[in-house]
Amino acid sequence: MIGHKIFTKQTGAHGKECNKVFIVERKYVRREYYFAILMDRATQGPVIVASSQGGVDIETVAAENPDAIVKLPVDIKRGLSLEAAQGLADKLGFVGNAREEAADAFVKLYKLFLAKDATQIEINPLVETSDHQVMCMDAKFGFDDNANFRQQDVFSLRDPTQEDPREVQAEKWNLNYIGLDGRIGCLVNGAGLAMSTMDIIKLHGGEPANFLDVGGSATAKQICEAFKIISSDAGVSAALVNIFGGIMRCDVVAQGIIDAVKELDLKIPLVVRLQGTNVDAGKKLINESGIAIFPCDDLDKAADLVVKLSDITTLAQKAGVHAQLSLD
């Protein structure tokens, strides 16, 4: 197994290389359960989600048999009492000594959730073994990135080899990046604007290759690094920059774009929409750079243009030719 790729729902289609194997004692399972603690927007606090049908995809269980899902909101000030935990164990069907073990596990997992600034604790499956022990057989934990400074023992366990290297690189430069499956790279400031930019690309028949939010105070160097991340995706055939300058200055973005194109010798078509602070200075830098960039003030037209340019570039790549695109 070590050195080979494994393919699961969690790894995605490309798989992940296995570099460690966890060897444990074999246990014989009598029953499987599902248990999770999440943050719930509706109740503005933690909620326990549990089911007597564990070991399978919980989303499927929720869709096919919603009555099998038990939800227990927890008052974050009072915490999870032993009585509430025992009541949950009863609903899941634990009896005898297993009931007490399950309730004890629920209380301890809730304490862990709070103490370690977790955003998710998922045990699937939680099992009762043939000798009536309650055990967590598999787990998925998520932690609040903002708590890194006080949870260094947790974050020191991070294994970047199991993450998308582009996302690891983006984090080093304080960029919010998520890789997707499309062909149009996106560089935007602000999460809301980034989402709307991806939506309008899809509206025009394209597919975004990423979510990339450079934030409100990125430097020219960060913009350049953002382009390095976008261009590292071989599937990207065009890119759209959509910047609304508030705190972010358009001239800083423009300089970052120019530096990136020159440093990377960027070959893909680049559509740039700049609005806001120092927009005229930003446009002047781009116009005087001598670089073939497609400026566009209207977002709808910019999205339509980048989709068409992506299609042209993709066709050229499939034909094995290099397309040099420019504005007349």
Side-chain angles (χ1 to χ4, degrees):
M1 295 175 67
I2 294 178
H4 294 273
K5 282 191 173 183
I6 58 174
F7 299 87
T8 69
K9 288 183 178 180
Q10 287 79 22
T11 66
H14 299 292
K16 293 287 185 182
E17 183 174 326
C18 175
N19 51 32
K20 294 179 181 179
V21 175
F22 188 33
I23 300 175
V24 297
E25 178 186 356
R26 182 178 181 181
K27 288 290 184 179
Y28 294 91
V29 176
R30 180 171 175 267
R31 291 183 64 185
E32 294 183 326
Y33 304 84
Y34 175 89
F35 178 88
I37 309 174
L38 310 165
M39 292 302 294
D40 182 34
R41 289 181 182 273
T43 60
Q44 299 184 3
V47 62
I48 294 174
V49 180
S51 175
S52 59
Q53 298 181 23
V56 295
D57 181 10
I58 195 63
E59 287 80 8
T60 302
V61 174
E64 296 178 354
N65 186 12
D67 292 338
I69 304 294
V70 178
K71 291 185 178 180
L72 177 64
V74 181
D75 186 328
I76 198 166
K77 294 180 180 178
R78 296 181 180 179
L80 179 65
S81 67
L82 181 58
E83 292 75 15
Q86 289 170 336
L88 178 60
D90 291 335
K91 290 180 180 180
L92 295 178
F94 286 100
V95 295
N97 187 60
R99 172 182 180 267
E100 300 307 316
E101 283 198 24
D104 183 60
F106 299 160
V107 171
K108 288 177 178 176
L109 287 168
Y110 180 77
K111 289 179 178 178
L112 175 67
F113 180 85
L114 285 188
K116 295 300 182 182
D117 291 295
T119 55
Q120 174 191 33
I121 287 182
E122 182 182 59
I123 311 298
N124 191 22
L126 173 76
V127 306
E128 181 183 351
T129 64
S130 57
D131 56 356
H132 304 291
Q133 288 182 295
V134 175
M135 304 186 72
C136 301
M137 301 293 275
D138 198 2
K140 179 180 179 181
F141 287 14
F143 301 93
D144 186 349
D145 290 336
N146 295 310
N148 191 339
F149 71 98
R150 65 181 176 204
Q151 302 294 352
Q152 294 183 16
D153 58 329
V154 172
F155 284 86
S156 67
L157 300 173
R158 182 178 176 183
D159 183 0
T161 66
Q162 298 300 303
E163 301 178 43
D164 186 328
R166 297 169 299 179
E167 294 180 13
V168 174
Q169 186 65 18
E171 187 176 340
K172 291 180 180 178
W173 290 96
N174 292 321
L175 304 169
N176 297 312
Y177 176 91
I178 300 173
L180 302 172
D181 296 327
R183 299 188 64 84
I184 299 174
C186 303
L187 190 153
V188 190
N189 67 318
L193 189 59
M195 295 297 290
S196 61
T197 301
M198 295 194 300
D199 285 344
I200 202 166
I201 287 172
K202 290 177 72 69
L203 184 65
H204 284 279
E207 289 292 336
N210 63 272
F211 170 97
L212 201 163
D213 170 19
V214 298
S217 57
T219 63
K221 180 62 176 174
Q222 284 175 296
I223 300 294
C224 184
E225 292 299 325
F227 270 105
K228 286 182 182 179
I229 295 167
I230 291 174
S231 62
S232 68
D233 184 346
V236 172
S237 55
L240 173 61
V241 177
N242 185 18
I243 297 293
F244 183 80
I247 300 173
M248 169 70 76
R249 290 165 35 198
C250 291
D251 56 328
V252 172
V253 175
Q255 189 60 56
I257 293 170
I258 294 166
D259 293 345
V261 172
K262 290 180 178 179
E263 181 178 340
L264 302 174
D265 191 21
L266 208 62
K267 301 296 184 184
I268 59 173
L270 184 59
V271 178
V272 176
R273 175 182 180 264
L274 300 177
Q275 294 292 332
T277 305
N278 288 7
V279 63
D280 292 334
K283 289 180 178 179
K284 185 172 184 291
L285 282 170
I286 289 174
N287 292 335
E288 294 177 354
S289 68
I291 296 171
I293 293 174
F294 297 84
C296 192
D297 290 340
D298 185 275
L299 178 56
D300 188 61
K301 292 179 180 178
D304 182 53
L305 177 60
V306 78
V307 170
K308 289 176 179 176
L309 293 173
S310 173
D311 290 342
I312 293 169
T313 306
T314 301
L315 285 172
Q317 290 172 345
K318 289 180 178 178
V321 298
H322 173 64
Q324 184 85 27
L325 304 175
S326 61
L327 284 174
D328 293 331

